[in-house]
Amino acid sequence: IEEEALIRWLKNVYLPIDRLLGPIINALPKKLKELSADPYDDELMAAFCRYIEDGQKRLEKIELIYGSHRLPTSIEDFGLKLYNCLCEVQEGLNELERYTMGYVDSYLHDGREMFREAKQKRLHLKEERRHLTFS
């Protein structure tokens, strides 16, 4: 029964979350490069703001998915690591949004650093996930 719960949780929670999370994390370098051409250009900033808004919408979906199924007790540590990764992305988006309001470089730096951490956490989760399945 625990094995079935684990497989169901991975299929219905982890994998959809990972698919939603990937585009948020992976797109940041490209979005920052585009914005760096001229951060004071209204069109470039608007595009960057759309990226942030899209990321926030994806995180709202992720929160619903995360809470939709009970986490099997055998992988509570894995679930906590996933939650920490999600928090890192949320905080990173918050920092990037703060940057758009006042062009304070420290917000941009902090947001980028949080995304770097989230990317590392996501990679560790993917590796750990390979050892969770019983197929």
Side-chain angles (χ1 to χ4, degrees), residues 14 78 122-132:
Y14 172 73
F78 182 84
R122 182 174 178 239
L123 290 174
H124 289 300
L125 284 166
K126 284 180 172 237
E127 180 62 32
E128 191 173 329
R129 182 219 171 268
R130 290 182 208 164
H131 302 289
L132 294 177

Side-chain angles (χ1 to χ4, degrees), residues 13-31 51 54-55 58-59 62 65 82 85-86 89 93 115 118-123 125-126:
V13 178
Y14 172 73
L15 292 176
I17 285 175
D18 188 60
R19 279 192 294 273
L20 286 166
L21 199 56
I24 301 170
I25 294 173
N26 295 333
L28 181 64
K30 180 182 177 200
K31 297 300 179 181
Y51 158 74
D54 178 61
R58 286 175 177 271
L59 279 175
I62 286 171
I65 294 168
L82 177 60
C85 180
L86 300 176
V89 172
L93 285 173
F115 268 67
K119 185 175 186 174
Q120 287 296 93
K121 288 178 181 183
R122 182 174 178 239
L123 290 174
L125 284 166
K126 284 180 172 237

Side-chain angles (χ1 to χ4, degrees), residues 45-135:
M45 183 55 78
F48 190 69
C49 288
R50 283 191 299 276
Y51 158 74
I52 293 169
E53 290 169 13
D54 178 61
Q56 291 167 336
K57 288 177 185 173
R58 286 175 177 271
L59 279 175
E60 288 173 12
K61 290 178 186 176
I62 286 171
E63 287 178 27
L64 292 173
I65 294 168
Y66 189 84
S68 68
H69 290 73
R70 189 180 76 73
L71 179 67
T73 56
S74 63
I75 59 166
E76 285 178 347
D77 187 51
F78 182 84
L80 181 61
K81 290 176 185 176
L82 177 60
Y83 182 78
N84 288 333
C85 180
L86 300 176
C87 289
E88 198 80 47
V89 172
Q90 180 65 61
E91 287 300 313
L93 285 173
N94 291 344
E95 291 297 302
L96 296 176
E97 185 175 35
R98 285 184 192 101
Y99 170 76
T100 66
M101 295 177 197
Y103 299 94
V104 177
D105 287 338
S106 64
Y107 293 134
L108 192 61
H109 177 276
D110 292 348
R112 188 179 328 169
E113 189 62 24
M114 289 173 184
F115 268 67
R116 188 186 66 72
E117 285 290 321
K119 185 175 186 174
Q120 287 296 93
K121 288 178 181 183
R122 182 174 178 239
L123 290 174
H124 289 300
L125 284 166
K126 284 180 172 237
E127 180 62 32
E128 191 173 329
R129 182 219 171 268
R130 290 182 208 164
H131 302 289
L132 294 177
T133 57
F134 297 100
S135 47

Side-chain angles (χ1 to χ4, degrees), residues 27-38 44 48:
L28 181 64
K30 180 182 177 200
K31 297 300 179 181
L32 288 174
K33 185 175 182 177
E34 291 169 357
L35 183 64
S36 71
D38 183 1
L44 293 176
F48 190 69

